[in-house]
Amino acid sequence: MQGCVPVVIHGRLSATLKSRPPVDGKLDLPLNLPSSSLNKSFTTKRGLLCVAAWALFAGTMIAQDPSTKPVVREAPLTPVASADATADFPVAKDPVLMQAMETELHRAMTELGTAVPANVAKPKAGAKDTSSPKPYFVSFSVADSQNVTIQAQYGAISIANATHTRTADVQVRLGSPALDNTHGVHRGSALTTMALPLGDDRAAIERTLWFATNRGYGKALDALETVKTEQQVRAKEEDASADFSTQKPDDDVLAPASALTLDRAVWEARLREISGIFRQYPDIYYDTALLQTSHQTGYFVSSDGSRTATPNQVARLIVVARTRAADGMDLFRVETFEADTDGHLPAQSEVLAKTIAMAKNLDDLRVAPITEPYNGPAILSGRAAAVFFHEVLGHRLEGQRQRGDEEGQTFTKLLGKSILPSFLSVADDPTVSQFEGHPLSGHYVIDDEGQPAQRVDLVDKGVLKTFLMSRLPVASFAQSNGHGRAETGKMPTGRQGNLIVSSTNTVSDAELRERLKAEAKKQGKAYGLYFEDISSGFAVTTRRSPQAFQVIPLVVYRVYVDGRPDELVRGVSIVGTPQAALNSILVTSDHQDIFNGECGAESGTVPVSAVAPAMLVSAIETQRQAQGTSRPPIVAPPPIDSKTAPAMKGGR
């Protein structure tokens, strides 16, 4: 199950996320929804998807056989002095961190394993072979991140903190690219994650990398033996592709991200003013205004010669409000603003205007009627259409979903065939950072396997051309196309970045609305539906479950064919199956909108964007959302005393 959500990014990509989709789905929700805004835990068959949790632990080296002494490299003995041991960040051209990574990488490749040399006699028949394989691939990936979080509610600051984290993912592969310890369900056996020292103490960094590498070698050794055994007893696999692709190494060391600076007093005043708006709405019983800024540098070195350092910085302002209808249905709205730095976020006046509109809309939703199940024509706004394509199409074009016993492989055998109306094309392009002046969350320069990001034309004029590839090959596609992505602590897989849908069959928004009415009248419907805003979505791609998707809207209107005013409704979810849904698109609007969010799947939570025009579909199926049974708050909120209320401007 994969999906996108409004979640909070800390460090590299850890997040808090609460919601409960069906098992085996892929959840996708809009960006940056604080964990307190929803109250259900979020799990999938593949495990807990998005929970910000950190644990420090120690462990012993794992040997292939308890009776055999583990193959362990000696720890580095000689400390190497840093050129600037007190610097917060390493210098651009020769950072101490990368020096330490390269040193330990070289030691791992030369000293790990005790394979018997060619000039040494092999063990006699029946004798125990105590040799162990040398790794054919090792990589170190480090996320060095500074973060600041400030949160306000009801006009007062509730959280204000700053963090600096540095985390290493060590990948060890044994065997060969054709068959290694990651085969099948054992992909996680290659990965070991550990926190690194924050400063430029090279000896401490090297010692930590050494320990993580030795731990990872033990895990890989056990997994390789299991893989070999499974190969002896299982039936032949349908896709016999290799486990790892051979790629051209990339050497692209950019200057690290600048130190994070923020005028805390200014932002505390802004957040108090924003969240203070909800004091005027007694039926909104939860609100938060949250600022998150992050400056991060990702470092990557691998035994096949890749050596990269890429900076990234982002600032997000998130406003969330929640209420409950009299019948127990929980309702919430989210507004997210994103830029590269806090100085480029929208002016306070724009944020306040959108916050007031959001509060008024929540009040209206409380008393709006619940819609009944529906099957008929509808318009998806640009944002809703973007999520629709991300869920219905994007996840099913990720490379790893084309192989394995568990995947449904909806489009695997449809290469070169039409899967969309001929007026639609779809590309994924993480190399672009903006669309029409607006930032895209799915932008990156180097993927999480050290490969340069690439534009990939997935569907051209309705015809399927290729898939989103990591370094896990599939039939017909043996190479990565720069889409190997993962959250820290997860193995990279093929993932979406910036999914961009374009159309050659377009009309104005006004004409699109008239065509909706005409289509509804043609089908004998009293109204069509207009989906204005969405909160989330998920897709099911495993073959043991129905090949279905669900998109959960926030703002939905009935558009009546007889000219009555549009009617706001609530409690509706869009459901369906991919091929039927994709081929019901009739026409699109003449401009595109952006959905920025985070997507959770087996390789963790990654930032994504989707760009699409609004679209008219001939038939869309909806069902009623699950409804809570809890009453609204029994006691009215305490009155606001202007004499004791904190000022909305100035310091705390």
Side-chain angles (χ1 to χ4, degrees), residues 238-539:
E238 182 179 1
D239 187 339
S241 299
D243 289 331
F244 200 54
S245 65
T246 301
Q247 304 284 156
K248 180 181 178 181
D250 186 57
D251 192 336
D252 192 6
V253 180
L254 305 178
S258 60
L260 197 162
T261 59
L262 185 76
D263 192 328
R264 178 167 164 174
V266 168
W267 273 106
E268 287 184 354
R270 286 190 64 175
L271 293 173
R272 280 202 312 279
E273 185 177 14
I274 295 166
S275 65
I277 286 174
F278 297 104
R279 296 161 70 101
Q280 306 168 39
Y281 296 86
D283 291 320
I284 294 178
Y285 61 83
Y286 170 85
D287 74 85
T288 187
L290 176 71
L291 173 74
Q292 281 199 319
T293 60
S294 174
H295 285 201
Q296 176 182 291
T297 303
Y299 299 93
F300 182 87
V301 298
S302 69
S303 57
D304 59 6
S306 289
R307 183 176 181 272
T308 67
T310 53
N312 180 60
Q313 56 189 46
V314 65
R316 292 189 179 94
L317 175 61
I318 310 103
V319 184
V320 183
R322 182 176 177 178
T323 188
R324 180 175 291 156
D327 56 17
M329 181 175 288
D330 285 324
L331 304 163
F332 71 93
R333 292 295 313 274
V334 184
E335 286 286 353
T336 301
F337 309 89
E338 181 173 325
D340 56 345
T341 67
D342 67 290
H344 293 159
L345 288 169
Q348 185 76 342
S349 58
E350 178 183 343
V351 177
L352 292 174
K354 290 193 174 184
T355 302
I356 292 171
M358 181 174 72
K360 291 179 178 178
N361 180 258
L362 267 180
D363 264 357
D364 293 339
L365 279 171
R366 287 185 67 253
V367 297
I370 297 177
T371 189
E372 297 301 319
Y374 173 84
N375 185 17
I379 291 176
L380 301 174
S381 72
R383 279 173 51 84
V387 176
F388 178 86
F389 267 86
H390 178 97
E391 297 299 343
V392 178
L393 182 67
H395 277 304
R396 290 176 171 80
L397 299 187
E398 293 165 343
Q400 71 278 5
R401 316 223 176 277
Q402 318 312 317
R403 65 179 284 182
D405 299 332
E406 294 295 323
E407 292 295 340
Q409 303 177 8
T410 308
F411 297 110
T412 303
K413 305 297 184 182
L414 296 180
L415 281 169
K417 298 180 180 179
S418 177
I419 64 170
L420 289 175
S422 60
F423 57 83
L424 292 175
S425 296
V426 182
D428 193 282
D429 190 358
T431 67
V432 295
S433 61
Q434 293 187 340
F435 183 83
E436 296 181 352
H438 299 283
L440 296 177
S441 295
H443 164 67
Y444 57 90
V445 178
I446 305 292
D447 75 4
D448 294 311
E449 294 180 307
Q451 300 301 305
Q454 298 180 36
R455 175 188 170 94
V456 177
D457 292 310
L458 295 164
V459 180
D460 182 36
K461 298 178 181 178
V463 177
L464 178 61
K465 296 296 185 180
T466 188
F467 302 112
L468 299 173
M469 296 299 298
S470 66
R471 294 188 69 173
L472 176 66
V474 300
S476 304
F477 297 97
Q479 300 293 311
S480 167
N481 53 28
H483 281 76
R485 307 187 66 196
E487 177 184 355
T488 299
K490 303 287 186 178
M491 282 287 287
T493 60
R495 300 290 294 276
Q496 298 169 73
N498 295 322
L499 192 74
I500 301 173
V501 181
S502 57
S503 171
T504 58
N505 182 19
T506 65
V507 296
S508 67
D509 288 344
E511 176 63 20
L512 198 66
R513 179 182 172 88
E514 291 305 313
R515 292 201 184 188
L516 170 64
K517 292 181 179 180
E519 184 66 25
K521 187 174 182 179
K522 174 183 174 182
Q523 296 184 24
K525 305 288 185 181
Y527 59 84
L529 293 180
Y530 173 59
F531 297 92
E532 180 181 278
D533 196 13
I534 49 84
S535 72
S536 60
F538 61 88

